[in-house]
């Protein structure tokens, strides 16, 4: 039996803690970020915590990474104007706080005007 603590995202998958879930299938879940940095800020997350970052996921399961990307596009179209920024923080100094790979999907404001709060996404 594993003694590893479940990640916060595994607790959301298990419905142990609440989240505003907008999409779910066999392998992925997507929900609103608890501290949104844009009018639309979703997290698209594999249900399994097997991969801690996007490079590990790309190497181990590239189809799942592709599914994250297409799901992000579909959700940005459904919940915003279809234009979005996709961010994978990888490593503590890059702003990663949850070591269970996830994509941030940010949409709904002008990239050109810099209105996304990038400092809180790890880029200070
Ligand atoms: P990162 O800093 O890239 O690892 O992203 C982790 C993200 O998870 C942050 O943007 C947090 O706001 C978000 N987060 C943490 N706990 C929750 C939660 N219970 N529900 C929704 N989002 C969360």
């Amino acid at each position: 039996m594993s003694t590893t603590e479940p990640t916060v995202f595994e607790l959301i998958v298990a419905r142990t803690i609440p989240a505003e879930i907008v999409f779910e299938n066999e392998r992925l879940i997507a929900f609103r970020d608890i501290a949104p940095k844009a009018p639309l800020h979703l997290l698209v997350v594999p249900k399994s915590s097997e991969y801690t970052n996007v490079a590990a996921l790309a190497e181990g399961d590239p189809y799942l990474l592709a599914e994250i990307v297409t799901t992000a596009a579909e959700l940005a179209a459904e919940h915003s104007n279809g234009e979005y920024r996709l961010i994978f923080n990888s490593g503590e100094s890059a702003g990663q706080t949850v070591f269970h790979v996830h994509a941030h999907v940010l949409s709904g404001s002008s990239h050109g005007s810099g209105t996304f709060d990038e400092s809180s996404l790890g880029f200070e």
Side-chain angles (χ1 to χ4, degrees), residues 19-123:
E20 205 177 321
I21 295 166
V22 297
F23 173 82
E24 184 170 20
N25 69 13
E26 227 172 75
R27 303 216 291 166
L28 291 180
I29 192 164
F31 48 88
R32 292 187 191 275
D33 196 294
I34 204 168
K37 306 299 184 298
L40 180 72
H41 186 171
L42 303 175
L43 299 174
V44 183
V45 187
K47 288 186 169 178
S48 161
S49 64
E50 181 178 357
Y51 301 105
T52 57
N53 62 58
V54 67
L57 177 62
E59 193 174 332
D61 193 342
Y63 292 106
L64 185 54
L65 175 57
E67 199 180 337
I68 289 174
V69 173
T70 54
T71 299
E74 286 164 12
L75 291 173
E78 186 181 335
H79 294 275
S80 183
N81 66 355
E83 299 184 346
Y84 57 93
R85 187 179 288 192
L86 197 59
I87 294 175
F88 292 87
N89 292 329
S90 302
E92 208 172 329
S93 70
Q96 188 173 7
T97 57
V98 180
F99 292 85
H100 173 161
V101 65
H102 53 282
H104 293 261
V105 185
L106 297 138
S107 183
S109 65
S110 163
H111 296 183
S113 68
T115 45
F116 288 154
D117 181 2
E118 296 184 344
S119 62
S120 33
L121 283 168
F123 298 99

